[in-house]
Amino acid sequence: MTDALLSVRDLVVEFPKRKTRLTALDQVSFDIRPGEILGMVGESGAGKSLTGAAIIGLLEPPGHIASGEIWLGDQRIDQLPYEQLRRLRGKRIAMIFQDPLTSLNPILTIADQLVETIQTHLPLNDKAARARAIQLLDEVGIPAAEKRIDDYPHQFSGGMRQRVVIALALAGEPELIIADEPTTALDVSVQAQIIDVLKRMCHEHGTAVMLVTHDMGVIAEACDRVAVMYAGRIAEIGDVRQIVKHPQHPYTQGLMGSIPSITQQVDRLVQIPGSMPRLDAIPSGCAFNPRCNQRLPRCTQDRPDLITTDQGHVACWLYEGATP
Amino acid sequence: MSLSVRQEYPDMKQPLLQVQNLSCHFDVSKPWLNRVIESEPQRFLTAVDQVSFSVNQGETFALVGESGSGKSTIAKLIVDLIHPSSGEIRFDGKILRETRGEAFKTLRRRIQMIFQDPFASLNPRWRVGDIIAEPIHAFGLATSQAQVTRTVEELLDKVGLAGRDRHKYPHEFSGGQRQRIAIARALSAQPDFLVCDEPTSALDVSVQAQILNLMRDLQDEFGLTYLFISHDLSVVKHMADRIGVLYLGSMVEDAPSEQLFSQPAHPYTRMLLDAIPDHEMSGRRRKPVTGEIPSPINPPSGCTFHPRCEYADTLCKEQRPAVVTHNDSQVACWAVEQARIPVKGLQSV
Amino acid sequence: QTLRWASAGDSLTFDPHSQNHGQTHAVAHQIYNPLIYLDLDSEMQPGLATSWEVTDNPNVWEFKLREGVTFHDGSPFTAEDVVFSFQRAQHPNSDMRTLISSVVEVRAVDPLTVHIETNGPTPLLPNNLTNLFIMSKAWAEANNVTTPQDYSAGEENFAVRNANGTGPFRLVSRDPDVRTEMVRNDEYWGKEQFPMEISRVVLTPIQSAATRAAAMLSGEIDFLQDVPVQDINRLSGSNNITMLSGPENRTIFFGMDQGREELRTSNIKGKNPFADKRVREAMNIAINRQAIQQVVMRGQSVPAGMIAPSFVNGYTAELDTVPATDVNRAKALLTEAGYPDGFNVTLTCTNDRYVNDEAICQAVTGMLGQVGINVRLDARANSIHFAELQQGELDFYILGWAVPPLDSHYVFDFLLETKTPDTGAWNFTGWSNAEFDSLSRALPTETDLTERNAKIARAWEIVQDEIVYLPVHHQVLNWAVRQDIDFAVQSQNQPMLKYLKFK
Amino acid sequence: MTDQTTPSTPPTNDGLVRRILDSDLFYDFSRRPIIILSAILTLVIILAAALAPWIAPHTPFDPSTLNLMDGFTPPMQPNAFTGNLYWMGTDSQGRDIFSAILYGARISLLVGFAAVAFAAILGITLGLIAGYKGGWVDTLIMRIADVQLSFPAILVALLIFGITKSLIPSEMQEQAAIYVLILSIGLSDWVQYARTVRSSTLAEKNKEYVQAARLFGVSSIRILARHILPNVMGPVLVIGTIGLALAIILESTLSFLGVGVPATQPSLGTLIRVGNEFLFSGEWWITLFPGITLLILALSVNLLGDWLRDALNPRLR
Amino acid sequence: MIAMLIRRLIQAVIVMLVVAFISFSLFQFVGDPINNMVGQEASQQDRAELRERLGLNDPIPIQFFRFVGNAVKGEFGISYRMARPVSEVIAERLPATLELALVSGVLAISLGIALGVYTALRRDGWLSHFIMSSSLIGVSLPTFLIGILLIYVFSVELQWLPSFGRGETVQITENWSTGLLTVSGWKSLILPAITLGLFQLTLLMRLVRAEMLEVLRTDYIKFARARGIKQRSIHFRHALKNTLLPVITIAGLQLGSIIAFAIITETVFQWPGVGLLFINAIRFVDIPFMSAYLLLIALVFVVINLIVDLLYFAVDPRLRVVKRSAGR
Ligand SMILES: Nc1ncnc2c1ncn2[C@@H]1O[C@H](COP(=O)(O)OP(=O)(O)OP(=O)(O)O)[C@@H](O)[C@H]1O
Ligand SMILES: Nc1ncnc2c1ncn2[C@@H]1O[C@H](COP(=O)(O)OP(=O)(O)OP(=O)(O)O)[C@@H](O)[C@H]1O
Ligand SMILES: [Mg+2]
Ligand SMILES: [Mg+2]
């Protein structure tokens, strides 16, 4: 575990509601190693974005971390005071949001936003910061960066804006980037470009990435490891190849099967009945049990812990007894 | 009214929908005064440009293309939500826009649509039962309230919901369930033809699978014909019998599904196919896509795809390619026509 | 010593002959002098004239002028200026012309003597001259203001905002409705005669009653002219303020249109209830004047039985007795008159002219309601009220009347004589009585004072008997001054600041 | 377009109470004592005003029932002349302040509600049409709105007053006053509704449920009335509530300026205006009690409106 | 930009014409102007002559154009009430109103923005709650009551500040006298300015707060936080500017309505401005003054709106660079 850059331990995020508290993240644990790209998949509402927000400390009140620990290297960061956390953000952990159209401040130029970010984290004078900004834009593949740096966000197309966003995230040379669905708002064709940029930057800078998405294609293409989330819990974590080829958790299996394939023609897709439970109605035991076609009696009562199997980690009673 | 009884069509291969040279321009000019002062001409956005295709009874025709390529516009043109600038749309041999009275009402009833956003396509203030019953009332398909209720319950049952759900409001349902309600509403008009504009793109894959399966079941049961719009090629491949590829409002290729995937002719089709993420990790290399889709207001000259095309030459820049038919497919590409791109089976033309 | 003076309304113009308007005259008195003026006790005092008497020709009055008087611009005052001023005041633009309508000619006999010839014997001519100010002929000619400002046409001339008088103060600056500043005229002819302690006067009109009271209370004002009656207690309770009060030359009363066939605003059709004296009497005894005095006026009024205040020639305490309020008798009278269920009528009232005018009307509305007369109250600004009144469009209205000449004839002439183009200018009651008319018309030329007073008494008898108007009360004048000021009210509501002394 | 033959039944409202009690709105409501208090106070004032003829001890609008000698009776002290006791005192005419407040609130509320209703109906209708039809209809309506907007409420009201004053014969002015108030306040306020409804309509009309309805050949009017209208009412409710408070205040301001209802039938504003003259002279109760009533009413309604706005704003949840 | 300006100008002209038409209609339909001009005694023939002389027998459109022509020249006729040319009266009183409006406007805008930002940033602080609650009281109390209360407390009881008028004024030009150059002028200004500005202040404050909260929830602010940008910069560089954009419009409108609302304040404080004149004009049905005032207010609004639009243009890059991006 010592080699992990980010280590999340039993993270619980709660939203106080009328009478109860909603547990949006329930005992989430995972690690990211330096330079590694960890994918986070799961259906809408599974808690992917919340995990990212919790790590960088941007949970929106009344949401809060109820228990658990988040370690960045040797530093525990889930209880840092605001100012320390702020210094961390952008410098050690950066975040990219889904919508490039709304992520940039519309009334500041790209230069304004980049230079400010750079100077917040690096001791550079205006000129040097600007040079660095141009270099960053260059790196993420903005043509004629020098000319376009003084443009406003609305003068860029969607794909270009997402590149700017990536440049901004990279400005403080962070060790970890949390990318929350960086390509969902973009076209398939542009998607591939952005994923490429992201991958390249990580390799070049040795940055670790937590890539949140619900697109298995993106996961398969970009990630080293994948965590599958279901109803605020991690259902399975493992090597991307393992998960794609040999999913263990029945949910993952269903998920993989429900994606139409272009290589084979099937008449009916594999279909998981029902839908993910709402946070206020998570069934006892395994959250997936009402939809599971391999349900065991105990699934309805006892919650499975994440156990280690030879192919990764899975939270499912089917694999109980597998070697830890 | 009973749902299971359907008019039978004598020839299943009869084209139910024929679209010919359909074009749609939107006036995106600046206000008149600005134009005068800045001496700018009036500007039009060509959303759909000379598109022709036909859909056979009982088949699924899919339209694919990048965002802004005109898919939704075609869908709206077909269901008569907007009016074409030129070209004609024939449904069952009749032109919707030229029919009047009862015939118009009947035609209108026979073409229904399922929208992309299941959250916006249901009126949040209406109960599900009333939503589904709206077409029944509007088209006068029931004679009594009891009949309406029965039909609504039957429909809910058909799409995998419970009859008592009709008392609930849309917000009490998940996205997938709402899309089922939307489908039930479309079905309540007893249509023959369903235009489905990205019906699953707002849904999670597991729910998408449910909806796609449901749509297939309904097609089998009712003999429905689909115009299926999606940007997800793998979904399209799963659903469609025939696929049309749109680029900047023009149809660049129109081919049977298998053929399109196995022998893509147009460079754009190839590019799209190459860009499909390999989620199965079959080891297929994904080719990076070059460039971005140009503005439809000022489309490139000649073949609109030429700036992004590796096969483009001067002819492509200057002249718009004609549509070439081969086998069962049509392609609009100079390079294909001039055989600069090797396409299996095309040489025979 | 600066005096900060506030009033409800402002002077309308400094052109002394343009408007016959109380506050306009009140301000003008500080700057201009008439030949004769009324002092704090409403006694006629020599102003620019030192003496006046009828000459042998009963139609000609002789005025001796004061010697050594100069205008503010230094030019001397002569008989020519008097002749000029009278001519000016007779111009059609002048509002003062009716007061001297009897004047045929004004002649300068010598620089300090003028003769005024009237179209008949006019014993009360001096009474009409107390607000007739004398301008400098030379100055008027130099500034092209030889004719008065045509007020209704909106004309403005040099004299409107500039003044050159002979009075105790000279005008420094003038911002209509906002602020008027005057300084002491050290060349004033009466410099030695009067205290003349104020060196500067700043006049500010304050419309809102509450603000007026507040300004006085907060010490921003030294002298407040129109004290709201409800604030008298509060003001007099303040250590820094002295209240001055005295009878005012103004009586408030109600008029009823008795002449019409049918009232405009009544449910009674085909006849006019007001035409029946019993109805008028019923109304007269339905009004509880004491209650109005005590509650609405807070004691600051004198319940009235006649429409002339005590200092007017012809006034008697007997005539002024207030009828006892008797609701039952009023009801009986109405029944007798054929209105057992009463009737409807609209009372039209000002809300910005007289002290608590609207409240008085409301109170009367209630009182008449109690005897069955269902009154609808319509209160509005005085300009509209008077415009409609003068068009003869009102059935039942409020009016207040002052008698500057201090003689009953003024009341008769305006309010009671039969309405003709020349008489009864403000008689909108439709009341007409031949005997009364002949009595009244004989008055101006009646030189025998005993005979004259007898006629006046007889005329009043008729009026009182007929209950032509319903008098309510005589107003009491209240001024508030800073505690260290020694001053007294003047019944015309014209503060003569030259009399003001500081303790 | 052919209209449908069978009218569809409106959604039944069974279980409405249950739904309300279940709703987030109600939950939020039930947790805010101040809001509950505001609601109760508003309700009490409205009820008291509505029931004024039955609960008021006197009829202040009938001058013949007043005894002038009762004038200026201080609260809870017997009148010096008549010995009558009024727990809120009396005004210059001997009117019982408490009754006058009830009747006055009646007028204020009547004017407020009617003005809001008038403004809302006008604004909603025009907003719906502008938003749905678009094009020159939209431009025209919104330009008119702009012109209207450049005249603040008070000015519009004063103007209409000035005009009607000279147009209406004076004997009718009194009865007309209240309608003039309603008209002028309503006219000065519709723009807000129109703008809000228009922008909501613009958003709603492009939503797919509207397109779906068009597919069934539902007529524009029906789409507007049955589909769009219910969905744009949320913000209207908020504006309406706050507008009610504003209308009540505006009414009192106009009455204060002397252009409102006549003093014989005083609204809260007229009561305050009249009482204002007696503030320095020590008869504080004449203006204080109506003033407090007005403040409580406007404040409660404002608080409710404020809360409603936050509660209905999904982004604040 | 130019096109926008022209369009705005055309719109402004149309608005002014509409208002002019309303004003003109006042003359036409509200009472016979002749009646207001001549005395009771004027004969039928005098009236007819005057009609002819004033051109009241001309066709309505011609009269309207003459009215507009005169209005452009600043001639509105003679006030019925004051018997002086309306334009002159207005010119004399306008400085007082403008000064009052300006000071309250500045007060409302500066304090409104400051408090709005404060309460948005310290959303849950007790001070914010206090400010928000008292602001509600502020909008629930009619302006005139506030004025009266202020007079009662500060003039009558404490005797700190004058209760009425403008205090000493200094004549700057022939028509412009200012109270801003004297101590008593400023003292007199305080209470009316507060009374007048309070409502707009609370309105602006609530608007700024709501707008700011909205902006603080946007993605770009979240993204800025995620980049570790300093709190100060996020609040005042990133959020505030975006907040103020929509506020400009409202602030502009508010400034306009301040002038209109001055009517009440001027009545309460006997402030010698045009508002006080207007309320009297209404009471006296002084049509020439009413119509001139109407046009004046419309003009003020139109001008403010124009300025606001230009300001918008200067501040919002999305508008400024329209041309460049369209040219791509
Ligand atoms: N402010 C909040 N109050 C209550 N519940 C919340 C709040 N924010 C998020 N949640 C809940 O937390 C759960 C996880 O949300 P999250 O945004 O992490 O999902 P996600 O996996 O990112 O989904 P998506 O793919 O739609 O982005 C959801 O069920 C959501 O409803
Ligand atoms: N009403 C309209 N006015 C102007 N332009 C329009 C209008 N509707 C669509 N367009 C333009 O027409 C083009 C085609 O739009 P359309 O919605 O058909 O694309 P699409 O293929 O459905 O894209 P997406 O995948 O994003 O839904 C786009 O450039 C769009 O901007
Ligand atoms: Mg998410
Ligand atoms: Mg689309």
Side-chain angles (χ1 to χ4, degrees), chain A residues 3-324:
Chain A
D3 60 342
L5 170 67
L6 177 80
S7 180
V8 176
R9 291 281 150 261
D10 297 327
L11 182 66
V12 177
V13 168
E14 287 179 347
F15 287 94
K17 276 281 132 88
R18 279 197 206 181
K19 290 165 194 112
T20 57
R21 284 169 299 169
L22 292 185
T23 309
L25 288 185
D26 197 354
Q27 310 253 337
V28 169
S29 305
F30 61 91
D31 295 321
I32 301 179
R33 282 184 289 273
E36 179 187 52
I37 302 186
L38 173 75
M40 279 266 174
V41 279
E43 285 175 61
S44 187
K48 309 179 294 290
S49 301
L50 278 185
T51 312
I55 293 169
I56 201 162
L58 283 176
L59 278 178
E60 278 184 31
H64 61 100
I65 297 177
S67 67
E69 296 171 8
I70 302 171
W71 292 81
L72 185 68
D74 306 330
Q75 192 180 9
R76 183 164 171 190
I77 60 171
D78 54 324
Q79 290 172 335
L80 284 183
Y82 181 85
E83 189 52 27
Q84 283 189 42
L85 193 61
R86 180 189 69 72
R87 283 177 210 282
L88 215 74
R89 291 189 197 138
K91 178 71 190 143
R92 297 190 62 192
I93 312 177
M95 185 143 182
I96 299 172
F97 293 98
Q98 171 172 349
D99 192 350
L101 289 171
T102 58
S103 292
L104 298 172
N105 193 330
I107 62 164
L108 296 178
T109 61
I110 302 300
D112 288 340
Q113 307 189 40
L114 262 171
V115 168
E116 182 180 16
T117 313
I118 291 169
Q119 288 184 330
T120 306
H121 300 297
L122 305 174
L124 294 180
N125 63 16
D126 287 358
K127 211 167 150 206
R130 189 180 162 89
R132 166 113 180 94
I134 294 174
Q135 184 200 338
L136 273 169
L137 289 180
D138 230 19
E139 279 183 44
V140 295
I142 302 245
E146 216 154 322
K147 259 199 264 164
R148 303 221 54 188
I149 188 165
D150 288 315
D151 281 355
Y152 286 92
H154 69 269
Q155 291 164 289
F156 289 83
S157 70
M160 285 297 163
R161 261 189 249 191
Q162 196 62 303
R163 289 167 201 254
V164 173
V165 168
I166 293 175
L168 275 165
L170 289 170
E173 296 171 347
E175 298 156 50
L176 172 69
I177 295 181
I178 299 166
D180 190 357
E181 318 221 14
T183 58
T184 309
L186 304 172
D187 255 320
V188 232
S189 46
V190 185
Q191 236 176 52
Q193 299 172 11
I194 296 297
I195 293 293
D196 266 1
V197 171
L198 203 59
K199 268 168 79 178
R200 201 181 72 236
M201 299 319 296
C202 293
H203 285 145
E204 285 171 13
H205 297 264
T207 314
V209 177
M210 179 176 136
L211 182 59
V212 173
T213 177
H214 52 230
D215 187 337
M216 270 320 281
V218 170
I219 294 281
E221 188 160 283
C223 300
D224 302 315
R225 286 196 309 137
V226 191
V228 180
M229 293 198 70
Y230 186 81
R233 305 168 185 187
I234 296 213
E236 185 169 359
I237 308 187
D239 188 62
V240 66
R241 226 181 164 75
Q242 285 297 339
I243 297 226
V244 170
K245 297 275 188 198
H246 309 289
Q248 290 179 287
H249 198 287
Y251 172 66
T252 321
Q253 290 167 359
L255 202 61
M256 300 308 298
S258 62
I259 307 171
S261 154
I262 54 161
T263 49
Q264 317 141 21
Q265 186 68 36
V266 290
D267 216 36
R268 283 179 71 82
L269 297 167
V270 176
Q271 161 178 346
I272 314 172
S275 50
M276 199 173 70
R278 288 172 22 178
L279 289 185
D280 53 3
I282 294 183
S284 62
C286 172
F288 186 62
N289 82 68
R291 304 172 74 188
C292 184
N293 53 6
Q294 302 167 55
R295 181 174 54 220
L296 303 173
R298 69 180 308 188
C299 292
T300 55
Q301 285 136 32
D302 304 328
R303 188 185 151 171
D305 285 325
L306 206 57
I307 51 170
T308 311
T309 67
D310 16 332
Q311 281 145 10
H313 312 273
V314 63
C316 180
W317 289 124
L318 288 173
Y319 301 91
E320 204 204 10
T323 39

Side-chain angles (χ1 to χ4, degrees), chain E residues 236-300:
Chain E
F236 297 106
R237 189 170 131 99
H238 290 251
L240 187 59
K241 259 196 187 174
N242 283 292
T243 303
L244 293 187
L245 271 183
V247 171
I248 291 178
T249 324
I250 308 290
L253 280 177
Q254 293 306 321
L255 215 61
S257 31
I258 276 186
I259 293 194
F261 270 97
I263 295 171
I264 305 161
T265 315
E266 290 182 4
T267 310
V268 175
F269 288 93
Q270 193 67 29
W271 187 265
V274 279
L276 191 60
L277 287 181
F278 182 68
I279 190 73
N280 284 327
I282 292 274
R283 253 183 250 162
F284 289 81
V285 198
D286 185 349
I287 304 288
F289 189 89
M290 278 160 73
S291 75
Y293 184 76
L294 199 63
L295 277 168
L296 177 78
I297 291 286
L299 186 69
V300 167

Side-chain angles (χ1 to χ4, degrees), chain E residues 66-129:
Chain E
R66 194 163 41 225
F67 174 82
V68 171
N70 285 339
V72 169
K73 280 183 271 169
E75 288 169 19
F76 296 97
I78 310 285
S79 154
Y80 298 162
R81 186 176 76 92
M82 283 163 295
R84 294 178 53 203
V86 170
S87 46
E88 208 180 290
V89 181
I90 289 187
E92 219 170 80
R93 298 296 195 81
L94 199 56
T97 298
L98 287 183
E99 262 170 31
L100 177 62
L102 196 78
V103 172
S104 0
V106 169
L107 190 84
I109 291 179
S110 53
L111 263 181
I113 291 178
L115 291 180
V117 169
Y118 178 84
T119 47
L121 294 182
R122 294 272 146 77
R123 222 169 94 143
D124 294 314
W126 66 268
L127 189 56
S128 300
H129 281 301

Side-chain angles (χ1 to χ4, degrees), chain E:
Chain E
M1 164 81 190
I2 298 168
M4 185 221 63
L5 207 65
I6 293 179
R7 199 169 18 244
R8 272 306 183 182
L9 279 175
I10 292 176
Q11 260 174 29
V13 169
I14 292 176
V15 168
M16 290 309 294
L17 276 178
V18 169
V19 176
F21 187 74
I22 297 173
S23 300
F24 171 74
S25 313
L26 284 182
F27 280 102
Q28 289 299 311
F29 306 119
V30 181
D32 184 353
I34 296 291
N35 269 346
N36 296 311
M37 298 171 97
V38 300
Q40 188 56 39
E41 319 81 46
S43 70
Q44 218 44 43
Q45 196 192 338
D46 288 348
R47 285 162 190 263
E49 267 171 27
L50 192 59
R51 280 199 91 82
E52 192 57 46
R53 191 149 54 85
L54 294 177
L56 292 177
N57 293 329
D58 294 343
I60 297 285
I62 293 191
Q63 289 193 45
F64 178 58
F65 281 115
R66 194 163 41 225
F67 174 82
V68 171
N70 285 339
V72 169
K73 280 183 271 169
E75 288 169 19
F76 296 97
I78 310 285
S79 154
Y80 298 162
R81 186 176 76 92
M82 283 163 295
R84 294 178 53 203
V86 170
S87 46
E88 208 180 290
V89 181
I90 289 187
E92 219 170 80
R93 298 296 195 81
L94 199 56
T97 298
L98 287 183
E99 262 170 31
L100 177 62
L102 196 78
V103 172
S104 0
V106 169
L107 190 84
I109 291 179
S110 53
L111 263 181
I113 291 178
L115 291 180
V117 169
Y118 178 84
T119 47
L121 294 182
R122 294 272 146 77
R123 222 169 94 143
D124 294 314
W126 66 268
L127 189 56
S128 300
H129 281 301
F130 174 76
I131 294 173
M132 287 304 288
S133 331
S134 31
S135 81
L136 257 186
I137 296 181
V139 291
S140 303
L141 263 182
T143 310
F144 64 88
L145 259 184
I146 294 175
I148 292 167
L149 288 178
L150 287 179
I151 292 182
Y152 194 79
V153 174
F154 291 99
S155 301
V156 177
E157 292 299 333
L158 299 173
Q159 310 211 344
W160 287 350
L161 295 167
S163 59
F164 76 98
R166 289 177 81 188
E168 296 283 326
T169 55
V170 175
Q171 201 79 22
I172 296 181
T173 67
E174 191 178 340
N175 272 332
W176 189 283
S177 67
T178 178
L180 299 182
L181 295 177
T182 64
V183 178
S184 89
W186 274 103
K187 273 175 113 176
S188 306
L189 193 55
I190 296 176
L191 293 185
I194 291 176
T195 309
L196 180 54
L198 199 62
F199 183 73
Q200 324 290 332
L201 187 155
T202 38
L203 224 68
L204 268 175
M205 177 190 111
R206 306 185 131 251
L207 184 81
V208 168
R209 175 176 178 272
E211 222 32 82
M212 184 94 174
L213 287 177
E214 201 93 314
V215 169
L216 284 176
R217 260 189 297 272
T218 55
D219 281 358
Y220 56 83
I221 294 298
K222 250 196 254 168
F223 187 42
R225 286 193 204 286
R227 277 179 282 149
I229 305 289
K230 294 195 184 81
Q231 189 93 340
R232 277 185 69 83
S233 171
I234 288 186
H235 291 162
F236 297 106
R237 189 170 131 99
H238 290 251
L240 187 59
K241 259 196 187 174
N242 283 292
T243 303
L244 293 187
L245 271 183
V247 171
I248 291 178
T249 324
I250 308 290
L253 280 177
Q254 293 306 321
L255 215 61
S257 31
I258 276 186
I259 293 194
F261 270 97
I263 295 171
I264 305 161
T265 315
E266 290 182 4
T267 310
V268 175
F269 288 93
Q270 193 67 29
W271 187 265
V274 279
L276 191 60
L277 287 181
F278 182 68
I279 190 73
N280 284 327
I282 292 274
R283 253 183 250 162
F284 289 81
V285 198
D286 185 349
I287 304 288
F289 189 89
M290 278 160 73
S291 75
Y293 184 76
L294 199 63
L295 277 168
L296 177 78
I297 291 286
L299 186 69
V300 167
F301 263 92
V302 159
V303 169
I304 288 179
N305 268 339
L306 216 60
I307 294 173
V308 162
D309 281 339
L310 289 179
L311 216 61
Y312 236 110
F313 231 80
V315 182
D316 193 340
R318 280 164 294 189
L319 297 177
R320 217 183 314 146
V321 277
V322 153
K323 185 153 187 194
R324 197 152 68 148
S325 59
R328 269 197 294 163

